[in-house]
Amino acid sequence: MCALHSRPMNDWSDDPFESYERESLSARAMAARPAPYLDELNPEQRRAAETLDGPVLMLAGAGTGKTKALTTRIAHLLNSGRAQPNEILAVTFTNKAAREMKDRVGRHVGGVIEGMPWLGTFHSLCNKLLRRHAELVDLKSNFTILDTDDQLRLLKQIIVAENIDVKKWTPRWFASIIDGYKNRGWFPDDVPPSEDKIVHCLPHVTTRVSEGGTGATRQVVDIYRDYQKRLITLNAVDFGDLLLHIVSIFKAHPDVLEKYQRWFKYILVDEYQDTNVAQYLWLRLLAQGHKNICCVGDDDQSIYGWRGAEVGNILRFEKDFPGAAVIRLEQNYRSTEHILAAASGVIKGNADRLGKTLWTAAEGGEKVRLIGHWDGDEEARWIGEEIESYQRGTRGLDPIGLNDQAILVRASFQMRAFEDRFLTIGMPYRVVGGPRFYERMEIRDAMAYFRVVVSEDDDLALERIINTPKRGLGDKALQTINAFARENGVSMMDAARTVVADGAIKGKGAKNLAELLRGIDRWNAIMRWSTQPGPDSDAVIDLDEPMVERPEGLEAPLSHVELAQVILDESGYTAHWQNDKTPEAPGRLENLKELVRALEEFENLQGFLEHVALVMSNETEDAAEKVTIMTLHAAKGLEFPVVFLPGWEDGLFPSQRSMDESGLKGLEEERRLAYVGITRAERHCTITFAANRLTYGQWNAAMPSRFIDELPEQHVEVLTPPGLYGGGFGAAASASPREQAIGASDLMDKASKADVYNSPGWARMQRNSARRSVRQPSEARNMVIDAAATPAFDIGERVFHQKFGYGAITAFEGDKLTIAFEKAGEKKVLASYVKSAGSAGDDVPF
DNA sequence: CTTCGGACTGTTTTT
DNA sequence: CAGTCCGAAG
């Protein structure tokens, strides 16, 4: 057992669930309460909330009060005394949804629900389960959860070791195949040979076959097997493993499964259409006994097929659970009739739907607005202005605050144009799911330090920090350590210890490494000593666990927050950034402080690491008025009075890649995404597209999305931007000279071009030809902007140049600056090539 | 061993 | 246009 946990974990068979959870709940929740909240539901919702026993499938269209029904159902379960809060298993797809559900159940029942420990995402619930039963799959309970980045690095190591051509078969490629297997519930031995793939080794290890060139090959499953083996040695799991390990434990240990089957008296699943096969198996195993399972979903909102979601799960629910009650929620309370009709018009294009007829009692309202723009920048500019006019109150409308307005994009690169624009006009915005705090280099470094302290088997973390800050340990030293580790089957940490001790590494590197190892041991000792129960504690002491000696020089126990600071300081990591003179160093130090601050909300380092791995986002509650920018995927489940849907161009939305990879299935998923987008809007929905878009730093002409054609005309109002497009539905182009220059005639006869456009390889072809013949649009305007944006410089000002580095301005003539560079000496450069070094970088609020 | 510069390549969506 | 990767020079 791990000494990290002050509460004993090993007596679960007597009392699987920690006793404090029980106590805090029973008295309060069990008092039978009247159920007035049921009266607030419509008949269908009410049926969904009251049909407590047996399988229930709730088909809930967008905006039909699904969460309301679900949370009322939970409240009803509690208040009717059928289950205690900790006997209900409630699974959501995102952390956000979990949080919301917790809050709303709390409101029904009265008071905070500390006692719903089993409400969470699949991943966090599995994490919790796996910590209890880790040893059944040869893990320790302090296992590390690898994020995508670690996963790829680990895969790369294996691929390289196998002499596979990494250029051709990238770690990413392997990762996606392996994830695919895991999504389907397959460990290596379960992968059917027909689903396996062959990869080739590099030529120099190829057993040469005269001309055919069929050299040595490997199977993906072999790599998968190696990968799993490595994960176990590293005491680590990836996202997919969390589920897969639990499923395999349930299968291999019926006694364990049975305990949970009995414990979870009621099971609820949100967003059922998004579950993959592994999740489906997991649920089915747990529900097998009593079959009190309620799944909620909407097949029209299934948008995660690319990561293994099987709409089939929802379609076959009634087969899996015969006699299931099927309840349809069809009354929409969110949107105006025009918005609803527009969404319905689009989704109608999909075959194979369970079919629902959404209706609303609301009448009138504004039609869905449609407008085309010259390019992405103009689109961003126009939307910015629209947001401002909603904010002021326009066209006789009441003002609508920024918090009530959102821009929903297909792909995150679209966000940039909006951020740029909003920064220049000073409009506050928040990006949801944008650049992530926990993915920043300094944060990942710091966490790697924490990881080696928490789990010394974590080679990936050690590898990350062993030479950060620089300790004089390069490739050669690392190879020595790794070779030793491999030969002797020990962890890198152990290998490093031995290698230092027997002098296989010499000089400065050896000295520094020895110091690092001493540090890690010390921090680990501090952690264990500080958390072990003191003599006065009434916690159960694990007699198998030796008492930890008080680390030298340590008077009093350190909290995990203090320890974190000690680790960062003593390791030299803080100093590393303090000594760094690059402009971003101060920001990084600030982020490190923020990290330490964030630690306060957790019980210990491990808890924090788990949270980061499973939640990833660092959502600071800020109430300030801001426009929201996010992807359509992130927007599912949310609603806004005002919604903008930019980038409705074929190839972008629907995404070319999606169609190339998954054909009609892909297109249908894109269409569902469009449906999700439109149905986020309560009162105002505006769809826009651009005739030209900058991708990869290249301008490409684009056509309006085919989904635009699917919008029912009578529910759409086409806006005419000044000068660019004639009226006309679907925005036919009036061929201005500029448009002709870039081939905007595409816009006019798109029907005849559609086939070409859909062909694979079109994108690349277009890109290549664009390079030669397509002139950058709005050239003139861009130049004006550039000139205007060129900051004014003063003599003596410190500036930064891409190539020459830092320097001070000694003279200027027009836009030609003479700069004395610190490294490169004196040069003459154009003002547009230098940045003021005073501006502290471009850290965007997250 | 580190640092620098050039070539190359990739963008959907996320727990 | 980035960010990453690789090879050459310090």
Side-chain angles (χ1 to χ4, degrees), chain A residues 681-710:
Chain A
E682 295 171 3
R683 279 148 40 206
H684 306 281
C685 178
T686 308
I687 294 171
T688 73
F689 60 94
N692 297 285
R693 202 166 281 278
L694 192 60
T695 10
Y696 288 108
Q698 288 300 323
W699 285 99
N700 290 313
M703 294 185 309
S705 169
R706 63 191 71 186
F707 297 150
I708 286 177
D709 294 337
E710 300 173 1

Side-chain angles (χ1 to χ4, degrees), chain A residues 149 153 441 444-445 448 460-468:
Chain A
D149 206 67
R153 283 197 298 147
M441 187 210 323
R444 293 179 51 88
D445 286 343
L460 289 168
L462 180 60
E463 204 165 302
R464 185 176 178 102
I465 51 99
I466 198 164
N467 201 30
T468 311

Side-chain angles (χ1 to χ4, degrees), chain A residues 176-198:
Chain A
S176 76
I177 306 251
I178 290 174
D179 280 347
Y181 293 156
K182 291 190 173 182
N183 286 336
R184 282 179 271 183
W186 294 336
F187 269 131
D189 290 341
D190 309 317
V191 176
S194 59
E195 294 283 339
D196 199 9
K197 296 195 165 52
I198 296 173

Side-chain angles (χ1 to χ4, degrees), chain A residues 730-768:
Chain A
S734 72
S736 75
R738 269 201 311 182
E739 288 166 53
Q740 283 172 359
I742 63 132
S745 56
D746 277 1
L747 288 172
M748 288 196 289
D749 59 350
K750 67 173 172 177
S752 65
K753 294 272 167 71
D755 292 338
V756 179
Y757 197 89
N758 289 335
S759 69
W762 156 261
R764 192 158 292 273
M765 194 187 78
Q766 191 190 31
R767 197 175 309 140
N768 292 341

Side-chain angles (χ1 to χ4, degrees), chain A residues 784-802:
Chain A
V784 171
I785 289 171
D786 279 352
T790 302
F793 291 107
D794 291 323
I795 301 278
E797 188 170 346
R798 190 173 143 84
V799 293
F800 178 75
H801 184 279
Q802 270 304 312

